[in-house]
C-alpha cells in the first residue's frame, strides 16, 4: 500500500513538474506582449493616451508569472494570494471601458465573457491552492491561462492597433 502511494506521488510530481514547465514557457511567450510599453505616451492631436488596461494587463502578467513560480515550488499560500489578485484585478475607468466596448462592438459580450471566465478560474485556482490540491491548482491555472490566451488572440492586436496606431512616417 505504501509502495503504491509512493509510485503514485512520484508520477504525480513528475506530471506536475512537466505541466508547470509547459505553463512557464507559455506564460513567458504570451503574457508580456500585452504589457509592453506604448510607443505613444502623450495625448496629442490624432493620438490616444495609453490605456489603463495596459497597466492592468502588465500587472496581471506579473501575477501569472508569480503563480507559475509558486506552483513550481508548491508554495500554495503564494499561489492563493496571486490568484486572488488575478481574480479581483482592477477595472479600467468607466470612460475607458466604454471606449473599448464601443470599439469592440458586437464582440463586447465575448470580451466580457473571457474576463468573467478569468475571474472564475482564478478564484478556483486560489481555492485549490488553499486546499493544497496540486492537481486542481494545475487544472485551474490552465483554465485561467486558456481564457487569457483566448481573449488575447481575439482582441489584443485589434486593441493595440486602434488605441496605439503607428506614427505617421
Amino acid at each position: 500500500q505504501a509502495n503504491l502511494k509512493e509510485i503514485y506521488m512520484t508520477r504525480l510530481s513528475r506530471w506536475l513538474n512537466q505541466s508547470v514547465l509547459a505553463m512557464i514557457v507559455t506564460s513567458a511567450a504570451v503574457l508580456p506582449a500585452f504589457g509592453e510599453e506604448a510607443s505613444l505616451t502623450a495625448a496629442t492631436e490624432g493620438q490616444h493616451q495609453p490605456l489603463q488596461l495596459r497597466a492592468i494587463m502588465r500587472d496581471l502578467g506579473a501575477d501569472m508569472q508569480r503563480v507559475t513560480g509558486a506552483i513550481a515550488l508548491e508554495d500554495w499560500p503564494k499561489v492563493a494570494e496571486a490568484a486572488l489578485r488575478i481574480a479581483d484585478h482592477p477595472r479600467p475607468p468607466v470612460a475607458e471601458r466604454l471606449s473599448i466596448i464601443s470599439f469592440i462592438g458586437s464582440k463586447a459580450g465575448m470580451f466580457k465573457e473571457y474576463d468573467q471566465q478569468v475571474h472564475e478560474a482564478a478564484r478556483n485556482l486560489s481555492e485549490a491552492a488553499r486546499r493544497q490540491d496540486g492537481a486542481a491548482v494545475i487544472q485551474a491555472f490552465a483554465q485561467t491561462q486558456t481564457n487569457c490566451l483566448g481573449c488575447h488572440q481575439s482582441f489584443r492586436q485589434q486593441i493595440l492597433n486602434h488605441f496605439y496606431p503607428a506614427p505617421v512616417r
Side-chain angles (χ1 to χ4, degrees):
Q1 188 74 346
N3 196 17
L4 284 176
K5 184 177 180 181
E6 186 176 316
I7 291 170
Y8 172 76
M9 294 306 292
T10 301
R11 287 182 181 170
L12 177 62
S13 178
R14 192 175 304 135
W15 177 80
L16 285 172
N17 287 337
Q18 291 169 348
S19 297
V20 168
L21 179 60
M23 283 185 254
I24 289 170
V25 171
T26 302
S27 294
V30 172
L31 292 172
F34 214 148
E36 292 170 357
E37 288 301 313
S39 60
L40 304 174
T41 56
T44 58
E45 194 171 320
Q47 295 178 340
H48 297 276
Q49 287 226 3
L51 298 176
Q52 288 189 27
L53 176 64
R54 191 160 227 182
I56 293 167
M57 288 293 118
R58 188 176 16 253
D59 291 344
L60 283 169
D63 281 329
M64 290 293 282
Q65 290 176 355
R66 280 186 197 95
V67 168
T68 302
I71 289 171
L73 298 172
E74 297 181 52
D75 186 341
W76 307 127
K78 203 173 269 186
V79 171
E81 178 186 324
L84 279 182
R85 281 196 304 272
I86 294 164
D88 299 329
H89 72 277
R91 297 170 65 185
V94 174
E96 182 174 307
R97 286 195 315 263
L98 291 174
S99 179
I100 293 167
I101 296 302
S102 173
F103 168 69
I104 292 172
S106 65
K107 293 183 179 181
M110 183 168 61
F111 186 81
K112 290 178 182 180
E113 182 64 24
Y114 276 125
D115 185 53
Q116 183 58 39
Q117 289 175 355
V118 167
H119 287 281
E120 187 176 319
R123 278 192 282 286
N124 292 340
L125 173 59
S126 182
E127 290 169 16
R130 278 196 292 274
R131 292 190 316 267
Q132 298 185 7
D133 183 344
V137 164
I138 296 294
Q139 187 174 31
F141 183 72
Q143 191 61 47
T144 305
Q145 185 79 39
T146 297
N147 287 302
C148 290
L149 178 62
C151 189
H152 293 174
Q153 289 182 334
S154 297
F155 297 104
R156 178 176 33 206
Q157 198 57 53
Q158 295 173 56
I159 289 172
L160 288 173
N161 290 345
H162 180 75
F163 290 99
Y164 300 93
V168 178
R169 293 179 191 203

